[in-house]
């Protein structure tokens, strides 16, 4: 059975940063991708993400975001403008993301924890008000990120590329939230552990493209590399590819409310 026969969903991709989109999307279709969630991250990338989703309507579904990495270059009025931009376009989206907290010291130097939390809370409040799912970036901020999502009352959250503590992971799962697996599941110990400790019920797949992956051999990811995410989850959990594909795709369709829109082949 060829890998093409699987139907996969890339639940977190930065398509506005991919250079040759026609090629990337063509290859994704070849690899069995039936939907891509394109995430935005700030005032500039959000409208690009909407345009891409409009152009590749049958396969790309947009989420608009406010990424902690972008806060350093934004003043308060720009943050407010971005929140307004997200709200004005909310009906066109399938979710809100990429949003979150990043406690890496270089990120904190540009936007301290309080500024990050304030922006995160504001955008979570939009997600709650409009009942949208969120795609959360949590780096070295796992507990705070989880607590803020839970306190916000948001019902659907995915902690993408999760590499944090097992204790917080248990809370994420108990709350009915998700994590998503990237191609780093092939080699990254903390991410592998998180995948091992999460049942398929709470797992989705993603690429976070165009991120660069790999240890010895490095490569830039495209949505077609979702197949690497699939295979690494299957290996870690000793499950057949088709079992992982079916369940993670079902989860993603439900999570993003896409069951009606996405035609299964
Ligand atoms: Zn991302």
């Amino acid at each position: 059975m060829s890998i093409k026969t699987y139907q996969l969903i890339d639940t977190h991709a930065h398509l506005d940063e991919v250079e040759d989109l026609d090629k990337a999307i063509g290859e994704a279709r070849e690899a069995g991708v039936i939907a891509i969630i394109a995430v935005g991250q700030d005032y500039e990338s959000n409208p690009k993400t909407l345009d891409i989703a409009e152009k590749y309507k049958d396969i790309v579904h947009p989420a608009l975001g406010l990424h902690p990495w972008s806060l350093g270059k934004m003043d308060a009025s720009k943050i407010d403008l971005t929140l307004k931009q997200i709200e004005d376009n909310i009906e066109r989206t399938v979710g809100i993301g990429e949003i979150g907290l990043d406690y890496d010291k270089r990120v904190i130097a540009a936007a301290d924890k309080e500024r990050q939390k304030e922006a995160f809370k504001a955008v979570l409040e939009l997600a709650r008000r409009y009942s949208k799912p969120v795609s959360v970036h949590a780096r070295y901020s796992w507990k705070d990120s989880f607590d803020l999502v839970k306190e916000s009352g948001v019902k659907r959250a995915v902690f993408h590329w999760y590499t944090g503590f097992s204790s917080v992971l248990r809370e994420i799962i108990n709350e009915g939230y998700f994590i998503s697996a990237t191609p780093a599941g092939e080699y990254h110990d903390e991410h592998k552990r998180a995948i091992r400790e999460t049942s398929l019920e709470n797992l989705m797949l993603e690429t976070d493209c165009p991120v660069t992956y790999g240890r010895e051999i490095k490569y830039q990811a495209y949505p077609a590399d979702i197949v690497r995410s699939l295979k690494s989850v299957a290996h870690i959990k000793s499950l057949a590819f088709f079992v992982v594909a079916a369940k993670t795709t079902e989860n993603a369709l439900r999570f993003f409310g896409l069951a009606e829109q996405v035609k299964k082949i």
Side-chain angles (χ1 to χ4, degrees), residues 82-147:
T82 308
L83 291 166
K84 186 174 182 313
Q85 176 192 56
I86 295 172
E87 187 168 14
D88 287 347
N89 291 287
I90 200 95
E91 298 305 333
R92 299 171 66 187
T93 71
V94 295
I96 290 185
E98 180 167 1
I99 57 174
L101 301 172
D102 192 320
Y103 290 174
D104 178 272
K105 62 178 187 299
R106 287 159 300 181
V107 182
I108 287 178
D112 66 24
K113 289 185 183 181
E114 284 316 306
R115 273 195 81 204
Q116 289 193 34
K117 285 185 189 173
E118 210 180 303
F120 190 33
K121 281 187 201 169
V123 76
L124 283 169
E125 171 53 22
L126 280 180
R128 187 203 59 80
R129 206 182 315 148
Y130 292 95
S131 302
K132 291 288 178 181
V134 293
S135 188
V136 179
H137 169 104
R139 186 164 63 144
Y140 312 133
S141 63
W142 303 291
K143 179 67 177 153
D144 280 2
S145 296
F146 169 77
D147 285 345

Side-chain angles (χ1 to χ4, degrees), residues 7-43:
Q7 297 178 349
L8 302 169
I9 298 183
D10 184 351
T11 60
H12 186 113
H14 297 269
L15 295 187
D16 60 302
E17 295 174 9
V18 172
E19 275 175 27
D20 190 345
L21 260 185
D22 278 344
K23 181 165 177 277
I25 287 176
E27 287 171 359
R29 291 185 204 276
E30 280 292 298
V33 173
I34 56 169
I36 303 169
I37 309 302
V39 293
Q41 49 188 332
D42 54 29
Y43 193 74

